[in-house]
Amino acid sequence: MRIALLSDIHGNREALEAVLADAAARDIGRCVILGDIVGYGPDPAWCVQRIQEMEAAGALVIRGNHDAAIAGSARDMNATARASIDWTRPRLSAAQTGWLAALPLTIREEDRLYTHASAHSPGDWIYVTSDRDAMASFRSSDAGVIFCGHVHVPALYSSDIHDRIQAHAERPRIPVPLLASRRWLVVAGSVGQPRDGSPQAGWAIFDTATRELSFRRTPYDTAVTAGKIQAAGLPEELALRLRSGE
Amino acid sequence: MSRSQKRPAEGLQIDGFTLGPLLHRGGFATIWEVTHPDHPGPMVMKVPTILDGDDGPTIVGFEIEQMILPRLSGPHVPRLIAAGDFAVMPYLVTAKLPGTSFQELFDRAPLPPDQLVALAIEIATALHEVHRQRVIHLDLKPGNLMRDEAGRLVLIDYGLARHLDLPDLLGEEFAIPMGTFPYIAPEQYLHHRDDPRSDIFAFGAMLYELATGRLPFGRTTTLRAVRRRLWRDPQPPRALNPDLPPWLQEIILRALEVEPEDRFQSAAQMAFDLGHPDQVQLTARATKLEQDGVWPVLRRRWRARRIRGYLPAPTQEDTARAQVVMAAVDLSPEMEALSQEILSATREILHFRPEARLACVNVLRSARIQLDQGTDEAGNNLHVARLVALKAWGEALGLPEGRVTYTVLEAPDPGNALTEHATRILAGHIVMGARASSALRRYLGSVSAQVVAEAPCTVTIVRLPAPGI
């Protein structure tokens, strides 16, 4: 089965639609949403509704820190994120807010663990950006492959038979076999707000039969989303960020 | 991760395979003959020897083979049948190759030059096939050459190899440069694992051994000795074997250059020179009988003090730049305008690939049966005339000697001849013309269409602009 891994959609309808259309052409058997459906972007309600429909059709959905902040607190966030949470809250129905708050922090499926941030105390929203962060995740789970998001930059780490951590260069499109002799940590990139220099929507595919992972990039019209952000009165930098991918 | 639960032994059954006798016990692995009810034919199972101490490189080497072997195909690589991971017992099953490695043959070196060249072309062709699949072997040596049932050369053992598109599991992890010391390139000492030209160096070291019976840098056993090849060049092989022709020394020493930029830039180009001795451009390398003097060596040594690395290894695009480009041209008078158009297209392609070599080819359509001597002589004259015309055509490109070659093929079927020649010279790109569309051509089919359909590489078809309407 081929699993599509989508993280950090952040209310970006155009990016989500483009990724789902791309995924539909790639023989995907299941979608896993790794959190942060809302925040930053101009279409939170539409995105939540779309993901709810996908969940009804079998998708797995994880809670991210922005999703949690809707019903909870945005106190720990920076000013921009906080402003966009404040903007988002009144645009979601009570049912949607309740649904977001009730999403699980982690899901374990066979030898795979899905989580939004570090698998080490998932509710603390720790970024996995180094070998050391990856090691903390590996130590807190015995899963063969850990999938997370939160960083907005795709990355791949492995832990070998002696628990040595290696970071591996990430190359879009090329399938990498995740050997069963190691454990792996996949940071899936961001659908709705990439920060690695490419404005194209980032996501990943994992094939459970071949154990091959492919990072994907899907182009979409960033100008449309950026225009909506400006029209909505959301912070200007959020629009700029979509165009540059940084 | 749990440690392996089974150890290999004769009679052991795993995943349907039954282990037969132990065939080989090496430093890092044991090789067993195996059978399986679903897989006919002789097979071998390689099981890494996992000790409790410092077995990092052994395990990673096994993982690398597990990653790379399924991605390799063709007659020059081992055919992977099954793999098992560490959970029960790590193993790789491949089709069994008859006979032993080439070590014995190398022990009989020096080989006569013609035998050496024939083998060298086989190795270069196999290496080109592996490089074409984005894999650098990084441990070429006689022990890793074998033949299959059909007698084709197979490069085995990818435990130190690098796939340019996949994570390099050996990358930064281990402090010692991996490889077999007598053969490895100087940049491998500096931990470079992404340059196909490192394989060219090891290949050169093997040719040196075949030509002289000696290793170019001796039986190197220490890292310190490996480091010396950053500045010390080997003794020229003709000093050891005067029967070796200068053109072959030129090829061997070029492959063994310290700087990757000074070597052959691809296995295809090296194969091409090996197959065209009269077209090898000779330099001072061809005739030298002594190692470089004190000044060049001191200069290299001074530089080696500081360098931590070489220029960046070639990217995928650079590798394409070092192709053999084959330009096929029809020199008949009515095709003159088209031949000039092919010339322009070739010039453009070479402009963006400064390392590429050009092979100019013309086909002399021959009758299927030669009738008598007279025809032979006439044919010979025609052949020479065509060659002269082909050279005149190609010289307009102003390429230095050594970057361009000229060949007239005699064949009854031009399309077939061009495709076969392109395959033989490992061409990465063919440039040729197509006649304007016509009813006749549609009925007869075209040479260019046949080449496009059958060529093993990219083909650029050149056409004259259609007349205005």
Side-chain angles (χ1 to χ4, degrees):
Chain A
M1 181 178 60
R2 287 158 63 79
I3 302 175
L5 299 137
L6 278 54
S7 190
D8 299 272
I9 295 160
H10 285 298
N12 187 333
R13 173 178 176 168
E14 290 70 30
L16 178 58
E17 283 182 322
V19 167
L20 292 178
D22 194 357
R26 293 180 193 280
D27 187 27
I28 300 299
R30 150 162 292 165
C31 282
V32 178
I33 311 300
L34 294 169
D36 279 5
I37 302 161
V38 302
Y40 298 136
D43 284 311
W46 188 91
C47 290
V48 169
Q49 193 189 330
R50 186 76 187 85
I51 301 298
Q52 285 175 322
E53 289 162 14
M54 288 168 61
E55 187 188 39
L60 302 180
V61 189
I62 295 291
R63 182 179 5 140
N65 53 317
H66 286 252
D67 309 322
I70 297 297
S73 159
R75 205 174 49 236
D76 297 335
M77 292 180 156
N78 65 44
T80 310
R82 213 161 44 228
S84 77
I85 291 293
D86 290 341
W87 180 92
T88 302
R89 279 193 187 111
R91 284 167 174 81
L92 296 175
S93 69
Q96 287 182 320
T97 302
W99 177 78
L100 284 175
L103 290 172
L105 283 174
T106 61
I107 294 179
R108 174 73 182 243
E109 183 188 35
E110 295 171 18
D111 76 332
R112 302 180 291 277
L113 179 76
Y114 307 115
T115 173
H116 179 63
S118 171
H120 176 71
S121 62
D124 290 338
W125 317 117
I126 300 162
Y127 289 96
V128 179
T129 55
S130 68
D131 294 9
R132 183 184 285 266
D133 303 327
M135 184 180 283
S137 274
F138 283 123
R139 282 193 177 153
S140 56
S141 166
D142 65 352
V145 190
I146 302 169
F147 294 94
C148 70
H150 196 39
V151 185
H152 293 223
V153 176
L156 178 64
Y157 299 87
S158 69
S159 170
D160 74 7
I161 199 164
H162 293 304
D163 301 327
R164 283 175 303 214
I165 311 294
Q166 251 184 308
H168 304 288
E170 170 269 334
R171 284 165 184 261
R173 290 188 305 281
I174 293 165
V176 173
L178 303 189
L179 299 175
S181 52
R182 306 185 165 218
R183 300 168 62 219
W184 300 82
L185 190 155
V186 179
V187 186
S190 168
V191 171
Q193 196 201 66
R195 294 178 192 168
D196 59 350
S198 163
Q200 299 187 3
W203 55 295
I205 299 174
F206 181 66
D207 187 320
T208 56
T210 61
R211 295 184 67 86
E212 284 178 339
L213 173 82
S214 314
F215 288 106
R216 305 287 327 172
R217 295 316 278 254
T218 303
Y220 72 97
D221 194 345
T222 55
V224 171
T225 320
K228 285 185 185 174
I229 287 174
Q230 284 163 321
L234 281 158
E236 176 76 18
E237 60 185 275
L238 294 173
L240 293 175
R241 192 158 216 183
L242 289 191
R243 294 178 198 266
S244 67
E246 275 167 11
Chain B
M1 178 112 324
S2 63
R3 284 310 194 103
S4 314
Q5 290 149 17
K6 285 192 178 179
R7 288 191 181 270
E10 189 164 351
L12 178 77
Q13 298 224 343
I14 182 162
D15 302 335
F17 292 97
T18 305
L19 272 68
L22 176 69
L23 299 177
H24 178 75
R25 183 182 293 279
F28 297 115
T30 49
I31 313 270
W32 305 77
E33 183 145 357
V34 288
T35 54
H36 191 292
D38 300 342
H39 300 285
M43 294 172 290
V44 292
M45 178 181 280
K46 180 174 177 175
V47 184
T49 307
I50 296 178
L51 309 165
D52 292 328
D54 181 21
D55 52 6
T58 309
I59 292 172
V60 177
F62 175 78
E63 291 182 300
I64 289 174
E65 282 209 281
Q66 215 180 21
M67 226 181 207
I68 289 181
L69 279 183
R71 277 154 190 81
L72 284 172
S73 59
H76 301 296
V77 296
R79 186 168 57 86
L80 182 71
I81 292 160
D85 65 58
F86 293 91
V88 183
M89 183 180 93
Y91 66 82
L92 290 165
V93 174
T94 53
K96 187 184 178 191
L97 297 166
T100 55
S101 80
F102 279 48
Q103 192 58 59
E104 284 171 31
L105 178 74
F106 276 68
D107 291 343
R108 289 203 303 273
L111 292 190
D114 54 338
Q115 211 181 323
L116 185 161
V117 169
L119 176 58
I121 292 175
E122 283 189 88
I123 300 173
T125 305
L127 188 55
H128 169 75
E129 272 304 306
V130 171
H131 285 177
R132 211 175 48 75
Q133 298 179 63
R134 314 266 305 135
V135 172
I136 313 170
H137 190 284
L138 295 173
D139 195 21
L140 287 182
K141 57 180 175 182
N144 284 340
L145 306 180
M146 291 188 80
R147 288 196 184 281
D148 69 5
E149 298 285 353
R152 292 172 300 195
L153 193 103
V154 181
L155 300 181
I156 62 163
D157 196 347
Y158 292 78
L160 300 178
R162 172 79 212 277
H163 192 301
L164 289 170
D165 295 332
L166 296 180
D168 184 14
L169 304 181
L170 263 178
E172 304 282 306
E173 198 162 349
F174 300 98
I176 46 169
M178 303 291 162
T180 305
F181 287 178
Y183 300 96
I184 64 172
E187 63 271 18
Q188 285 177 265
Y189 172 83
L190 299 168
H191 308 302
H192 285 228
R193 291 180 38 80
D194 51 4
D195 196 332
R197 297 171 299 186
S198 302
D199 283 344
I200 299 285
F201 186 95
F203 180 23
M206 287 198 287
L207 291 189
Y208 185 105
E209 189 180 3
L210 285 174
T212 64
R214 305 243 302 256
L215 288 158
F217 306 98
R219 294 240 161 255
T220 323
T221 53
T222 65
L223 268 182
R224 208 183 155 74
V226 171
R227 182 162 174 264
R228 268 173 62 81
R229 67 192 71 157
L230 282 166
W231 57 82
R232 185 74 263 187
D233 56 316
Q235 195 177 10
R238 273 167 51 78
L240 300 166
N241 178 4
D243 295 339
L244 194 72
W247 68 269
L248 209 42
Q249 168 158 309
E250 174 76 32
I251 289 176
I252 294 170
L253 289 183
R254 188 168 165 200
L256 286 170
E257 281 285 348
V258 175
E259 294 285 344
E261 298 90 81
D262 296 335
R263 298 176 205 151
F264 289 94
Q265 298 301 297
S266 66
Q269 293 192 351
M270 194 160 163
F272 192 86
D273 272 14
L274 285 161
H276 299 80
D278 51 326
Q279 307 208 29
V280 174
Q281 195 191 11
L282 302 183
T283 68
R285 289 187 204 107
T287 47
K288 69 190 267 197
L289 290 173
E290 288 175 1
Q291 286 169 283
D292 288 342
V294 66
W295 289 113
V297 171
L298 272 181
R299 212 166 33 237
R300 288 200 288 259
R301 182 152 198 183
W302 176 253
R303 211 190 32 197
R305 272 162 38 98
R306 288 172 294 124
I307 50 170
R308 280 284 159 269
Y310 283 72
L311 292 171
T315 61
Q316 183 169 11
E317 292 69 32
D318 293 336
T319 313
R321 282 163 50 158
Q323 283 172 341
V324 174
V325 175
M326 177 174 126
V329 59
D330 184 340
L331 294 164
S332 50
E334 69 273 20
M335 290 293 116
E336 196 161 75
L338 183 58
S339 74
Q340 289 309 303
E341 204 67 26
I342 298 171
L343 197 67
S344 314
T346 307
R347 186 180 284 122
E348 281 174 29
I349 288 167
L350 293 176
H351 177 75
F352 291 106
R353 294 175 197 168
E355 303 294 343
R357 300 267 297 264
L358 178 65
C360 301
V361 180
N362 175 258
V363 184
L364 184 56
R365 203 185 277 253
S366 63
R368 281 172 202 277
I369 303 160
Q370 290 288 351
L371 292 176
D372 54 47
Q373 279 305 109
T375 324
D376 250 8
E377 195 178 328
N380 199 28
N381 291 341
L382 194 52
H383 188 108
V384 172
R386 281 289 182 88
L387 198 56
V388 169
L390 184 63
K391 281 189 176 166
W393 177 83
E395 272 161 11
L397 291 167
L399 295 172
E401 206 186 324
R403 214 185 143 195
V404 57
T405 57
Y406 302 96
T407 310
V408 172
L409 304 170
E410 289 187 44
D413 176 350
N416 213 13
L418 289 173
T419 309
E420 278 180 10
H421 190 68
T423 308
R424 194 160 52 241
I425 67 172
L426 309 177
H429 197 144
I430 299 172
V431 190
M432 65 183 298
R435 289 164 194 259
S437 185
S438 74
L440 183 67
R441 188 168 159 272
R442 276 199 296 277
Y443 280 112
L444 295 180
S446 78
V447 175
S448 57
Q450 189 189 345
V451 172
V452 166
E454 293 167 10
C457 61
T458 302
V459 183
T460 296
I461 297 296
V462 178
R463 257 213 178 129
L464 286 174
I469 329 166

